[in-house]
Amino acid sequence: MLKIKDLHAVVEEDGSEILKGVNLTINKGEVHAIMGPNGSGKSTLSKVVAGHPAYEVTAGDILFEGESILELDPEERAHKGIFLAFQYPVEVPGVTNKTLLRQAYNTIAKAQGKEELDPIEFEDYVAERMEVVEMRPEFLERSVNAGFSGGEKKRNEIFQMAVLNPKLSFLDETDSGLDIDALKVVAEGINQISGKENSIVMVTHYQRILDYIVPDHVHVMVDGRIVKSGEKDLALKLEEQGYDWLAEIPSAAVNGQK
Amino acid sequence: MTTLKKKEQTFLIDLLDFQDSLNGNSEFVDNVRMKGADEVRNTPFPHSKDEEWRFISLRDLYSDSYQHVSVLEEKDPDLRDYFLPECANSRLVFINGVFSIKHSSVEALPDDIVIDSLARLAASDNPLVKEHLNKYTTFEGDVFSSFSDAFLQDGAFIYVPKGRKIDTPIHLLFVQTEADITYFTTSHSVIVADEGSEITVVEDHIGLGDNKYFNLPVVEVSAGKEAYVKHTKIQRDSQEAIHIARTSAFVEKHANYESYTITIGAKLSRNEPRISQRDEEVKFTVDGLVLIDGEQVSDTHSVMDHRFPHCESHQLHKCVIIDKAHSVFNGKIFVRPHAQKIDSFQENRNLLLSRKGLVNTKPQLEIFADDVVCTHGATIGQLDEEEVFYLKSRGLNEKQAKELLIYAFALETIENITVDSVQKLLVDEVHNFTERQLHSEFTI
């Protein structure tokens, strides 16, 4: 579904290189976790996949369903089914969750040649999706993230994901700022959404969320590269031993591919 | 035709020759006019050298010669599109400065409220007019106020008696029609809410064409003891018009005056809301929204005068500036000696969406009491790239994302307006404004 090949990316403003040759393959239905210390480039990788204008890809490629998406605008990537749950979701006071979600849903549906939903149909659809993350109905009438706690914002990201039903989701530190109860709700929601057709990439510092969402693959990112890939037990090892032991490893095979 | 004089000098003064012809219907009003005319003769018109006018040029106002609006033939335009459903029978309409009986109706309002054309009331020697006219203004020495007095012709007069709470909003619709001459028009409205009364007024200025005229509306408001006055002003004058307004409000003990001023039209507009606290324990709001493009200039010079202890005041003034438009904000907050326990909030936020747009903003606090909280701030910014990206990552295209963010920016100043159709109308105006811009050249 997603193939990242030797991806190099710089911050457009100052030219500093953040991604220094990332290789990653994600197949349909898989759950991946990308871990790594602060500043290793995990969040940047998510943003570059989503098309953030602050970064420029200088080498390599990102293929989604076999086609390069480097030239696509963020909304075109969203139309193809790529979703980014933000580490710091943006507040949009004055625009209700319902308004944004319906507009987003219908724009994507239209681009994918699916049927758009009128307000009443959409309300039914959304009511069902709200149960996934245990949202209360009045939430729909609130402004997007305005005045939300950190935990509420994260839950809202997963709710948006549940409504938009993307093929590939990058969850950028969705677990940070959540207390244990909220974490369980969010993790449960992610598990419900993920399936044979959807792939999920969790970008995280801690293996805590991986107690609830079991990844098929775990990758470690250090200094702009994926230096080690493995299965769930790799996350536990990182939790126990930290990242220092990996610093010496220059690069690693990913999913058996170099 | 009068030819243009090259040097910067105003033709406005020439209009005074015409002033006499308005006299004869009410001795009281005639006297107001003559006094106004005398003041005009003794007061210079302001120029950009004057501190209070330094950010804008009045050349456009002074360089044309105007004829008084009364020389126009009577017009009867179709106004149905501009009527508010809530105000079907609580509406006064003025067309080119003259009261229109045909389009006005006050049947929905209780009999004990006095609501009529000021000219009609004055002609019948109504004592309320004499008692209240020019009692609640704080524009001493202001030549435009005097000029308005010199041509005092008509306007709305509303008196709400003690304890009368009126749920039905009142629509004051001031219509300017197309004309093949450049004309000067004025209106003077008086809104008096007596003790414990409540009233909602929508002051609405509309230009039907794209012609040039000079509109000088004066509105004075008295929010009596424990009264609650909600005042929304919408300025949708012609894109070539000049709109110079004077609005003043006196707020008495335990009263609340809430005002929202929306500026969309006119090539050059100047609003001067002046709120004067007249006793302890009052609340007032002077919020504003300005949406300007092309070569529009909008200037707001406001005064919040805290004269007694215990006052809560609020001013959120938001502007969206596109193309070569120019927005000016000067917000004065006075706190007089002994006016302790004042809680005053002022913020001017500007969304500047083009390289050639211009913003001047100047909060001005003069505080002579020591136990007060006055917060103030001014920001000038573009759309936040991170916010645009967030919305685009949800599938919205550039246009949809920007439109949503401009809408969100503007909404904060209009969501407290309690007349539903006005809210809807303004949401549409925001939409149209954004739509226009996103079609034309748009740089962030």
Side-chain angles (χ1 to χ4, degrees):
Chain A
M1 175 172 284
L2 182 77
K3 195 162 195 165
I4 298 176
K5 294 195 292 192
D6 190 32
L7 187 69
H8 291 252
V10 299
V11 178
E12 191 156 273
E13 201 173 88
D14 60 10
S16 58
E17 191 173 48
I18 309 290
L19 301 182
K20 301 174 181 174
V22 175
N23 289 290
L24 182 63
T25 298
I26 292 160
N27 297 311
K28 212 186 229 183
E30 287 179 350
V31 175
H32 290 237
I34 299 177
M35 304 182 73
N38 280 332
S40 58
K42 312 185 295 289
S43 283
T44 300
L45 179 64
S46 322
K47 288 181 187 170
V48 169
V49 171
H52 197 293
Y55 303 97
E56 190 192 339
V57 172
T58 49
D61 207 348
I62 305 173
L63 303 177
F64 183 71
E65 297 181 323
E67 287 173 38
S68 174
I69 57 168
L70 287 184
E71 297 301 319
L72 299 185
D73 285 333
E75 68 270 28
E76 294 171 313
R77 300 181 196 205
H79 297 166
K80 284 189 172 296
I82 296 173
F83 181 85
L84 170 63
F86 279 53
Q87 184 178 1
Y88 303 108
V90 168
E91 297 190 12
V92 195
V95 176
T96 64
N97 286 299
K98 193 162 76 181
T99 305
L100 173 63
L101 279 172
R102 199 166 81 83
Q103 199 172 2
Y105 180 91
N106 280 338
T107 307
I108 293 172
K110 195 176 172 190
Q112 295 182 348
K114 293 181 188 160
E115 201 178 323
E116 296 179 53
L117 299 180
D118 68 30
I120 295 163
E121 292 168 331
F122 186 74
E123 216 143 291
D124 290 345
Y125 169 71
V126 137
E128 170 224 322
R129 304 309 283 168
M130 289 185 87
E131 290 169 15
V132 173
V133 274
E134 299 179 17
M135 289 287 194
R136 282 201 293 270
E138 56 264 34
F139 167 82
L140 284 174
E141 304 300 334
R142 289 177 64 186
S143 290
V144 178
N145 295 324
F148 284 24
S149 70
E152 282 177 311
K153 287 181 184 172
K154 297 300 177 70
R155 246 164 87 169
N156 191 23
E157 294 294 285
I158 302 308
F159 174 51
Q160 291 182 6
M161 174 181 156
V163 171
L164 301 179
N165 196 25
K167 293 176 186 165
L168 171 71
S169 304
F170 270 76
L171 312 183
D172 190 3
E173 306 217 8
T174 296
D175 52 336
S176 67
L178 294 179
D179 63 31
I180 194 71
D181 292 328
L183 182 70
K184 280 183 190 167
V185 172
V186 164
E188 185 50 39
I190 294 168
N191 281 330
Q192 283 191 47
I193 299 162
S194 68
K196 280 184 193 157
E197 299 298 315
N198 312 68
S199 308
I200 287 174
V201 182
M202 285 181 293
V203 172
T204 180
H205 259 305
Y206 309 102
Q207 78 93 37
R208 186 172 79 136
I209 193 170
L210 307 181
D211 289 341
Y212 304 97
I213 305 168
V214 182
D216 301 304
H217 300 278
V218 175
H219 312 278
V220 185
M221 212 166 159
V222 177
D223 192 26
R225 288 183 194 92
I226 288 177
V227 296
K228 177 110 185 123
S229 295
E231 294 185 3
K232 187 186 169 358
D233 51 359
L234 176 59
L236 289 170
K237 188 174 178 186
L238 291 168
E239 184 84 349
E240 284 164 17
Q241 302 184 5
Y243 295 105
D244 289 347
W245 63 280
L246 289 162
E248 304 306 314
I249 304 173
S251 74
V254 176
N255 306 348
Q257 297 168 11
K258 182 81 178 178
Chain B
M1 284 289 285
T2 318
T3 50
L4 281 177
K5 293 177 186 171
K6 288 277 181 255
K7 61 183 177 180
E8 197 166 289
Q9 179 187 328
T10 175
F11 287 107
L12 291 172
I13 202 88
D14 300 344
L15 274 165
L16 290 179
D17 301 340
F18 185 81
Q19 187 239 352
D20 281 349
S21 69
L22 296 171
N23 290 346
N25 290 323
S26 154
E27 198 187 330
F28 172 72
V29 171
D30 293 352
N31 287 332
V32 173
R33 278 197 208 103
M34 280 185 277
K35 183 169 167 282
D38 280 345
E39 287 167 0
V40 172
R41 289 189 185 95
N42 294 312
T43 317
F45 278 86
H47 281 277
S48 46
K49 282 177 193 138
D50 296 307
E51 176 63 22
E52 295 300 320
W53 296 86
R54 70 188 175 101
F55 293 116
I56 61 171
S57 163
L58 292 168
R59 181 189 299 271
D60 213 25
L61 172 66
Y62 296 154
S63 62
D64 248 326
S65 91
Y66 300 84
Q67 297 188 55
H68 191 261
V69 65
S70 57
V71 305
L72 294 178
E73 284 169 33
E74 203 174 307
K75 301 261 171 91
D76 185 21
D78 185 351
L79 297 175
R80 279 171 298 184
D81 286 351
Y82 304 105
F83 292 161
L84 304 175
E86 293 93 336
C87 308
N89 290 299
S90 55
R91 178 176 60 229
L92 298 184
V93 178
F94 298 84
I95 299 173
N96 296 336
V98 178
F99 180 60
S100 161
I101 296 176
K102 180 186 164 188
H103 292 294
S104 302
S105 166
V106 295
E107 278 168 31
L109 300 170
D111 290 340
D112 57 355
I113 116 161
V114 178
I115 174 166
D116 205 335
S117 126
L118 180 91
R120 296 209 316 174
L121 290 173
S124 64
D125 235 9
N126 189 299
L128 285 170
V129 174
K130 291 181 187 172
E131 187 185 338
H132 295 288
L133 185 78
N134 273 339
K135 193 175 163 190
Y136 312 104
T137 58
T138 46
F139 287 95
E140 295 82 10
D142 170 63
V143 70
F144 289 110
S145 299
S146 302
F147 204 68
S148 165
D149 275 349
F151 291 92
L152 178 61
Q153 192 178 12
D154 211 347
F157 186 93
I158 302 172
Y159 172 80
V160 191
K162 202 167 164 177
R164 175 58 83 181
K165 292 178 167 53
I166 301 170
D167 295 331
T168 312
I170 296 169
H171 190 195
L172 306 180
L173 185 58
F174 299 91
V175 179
Q176 307 305 326
T177 64
E178 283 186 276
D180 43 21
I181 57 160
T182 302
Y183 65 88
F184 160 67
T185 180
T186 182
S187 59
H188 188 134
S189 299
V190 183
I191 300 163
V192 180
D194 211 334
E195 189 176 329
S197 66
E198 284 185 23
I199 187 176
T200 301
V201 176
V202 180
E203 176 196 350
D204 195 359
H205 298 270
I206 291 180
L208 299 181
D210 54 5
N211 49 313
K212 180 172 180 179
Y213 54 85
F214 171 31
N215 187 8
L216 174 55
V218 173
V219 176
E220 51 179 319
V221 177
S222 166
K225 194 176 164 189
E226 291 168 19
Y228 189 2
V229 177
K230 289 184 245 181
H231 178 192
T232 300
K233 173 182 171 180
I234 311 168
Q235 188 266 99
R236 301 186 272 171
D237 270 315
S238 144
Q239 291 293 319
E240 291 298 320
I242 294 170
H243 179 104
I244 294 184
R246 268 82 190 87
T247 308
S248 71
F250 279 24
V251 192
E252 300 289 344
K253 194 163 190 165
H254 294 292
N256 187 354
Y257 173 69
E258 257 180 46
S259 73
Y260 305 93
T261 302
I262 317 296
T263 299
I264 298 162
K267 190 168 187 187
L268 170 65
S269 64
R270 166 94 164 201
N271 276 312
E272 294 202 23
R274 296 190 184 179
I275 319 301
S276 179
Q277 182 193 0
R278 309 308 288 186
D279 206 331
E280 299 186 9
E281 305 275 357
V282 315
K283 277 175 90 168
F284 58 83
T285 302
V286 209
D287 286 359
L289 173 65
V290 174
L291 304 174
I292 45 173
D293 57 13
E295 295 187 359
Q296 283 184 287
V297 178
S298 166
D299 181 345
T300 295
H301 268 61
S302 61
V303 176
M304 297 157 85
D305 189 3
H306 305 84
R307 300 155 53 92
F308 293 88
H310 296 285
C311 177
E312 228 179 275
S313 59
H314 185 277
Q315 182 175 36
L316 176 62
H317 187 78
K318 284 189 159 186
C319 311
V320 185
I321 301 103
I322 308 184
D323 299 336
K324 294 179 186 165
H326 177 192
S327 162
V328 178
F329 174 74
N330 179 191
K332 294 188 182 68
I333 297 180
F334 297 141
V335 180
R336 309 272 183 125
H338 313 299
Q340 303 292 4
K341 306 283 180 193
I342 302 299
D343 187 350
S344 183
F345 168 88
Q346 181 191 68
E347 192 170 304
N348 171 223
R349 291 181 59 194
N350 296 283
L351 192 53
L352 180 57
L353 296 176
S354 61
R355 290 179 211 286
K356 290 183 174 165
L358 179 63
V359 174
N360 297 113
T361 175
K362 184 182 165 199
Q364 190 178 334
L365 280 67
E366 294 179 25
I367 299 170
F368 298 99
D370 54 11
D371 187 11
V372 300
V373 179
C374 288
T375 57
H376 68 99
T379 59
I380 303 171
Q382 301 169 350
L383 285 178
D384 186 277
E385 199 182 67
E386 202 63 30
E387 292 176 7
V388 175
F389 173 63
Y390 185 71
L391 296 176
K392 289 174 87 174
S393 79
R394 298 300 179 256
L396 274 58
N397 63 30
E398 183 100 356
K399 180 169 167 287
Q400 290 172 316
K402 286 177 176 171
E403 184 174 323
L404 209 55
L405 291 170
I406 295 173
Y407 169 75
F409 177 86
L411 191 73
E412 199 184 346
T413 44
I414 56 182
E415 64 187 352
N416 293 320
I417 296 171
T418 52
V419 185
D420 286 348
S421 64
V422 171
Q423 269 217 28
K424 194 183 164 298
L425 173 157
L426 293 175
V427 166
D428 289 347
E429 289 285 358
V430 172
H431 178 82
N432 293 342
F433 175 78
T434 317
E435 186 86 345
R436 267 205 313 279
Q437 293 327 308
L438 295 175
H439 275 129
S440 69
E441 180 180 39
F442 191 108
T443 45
I444 83 166

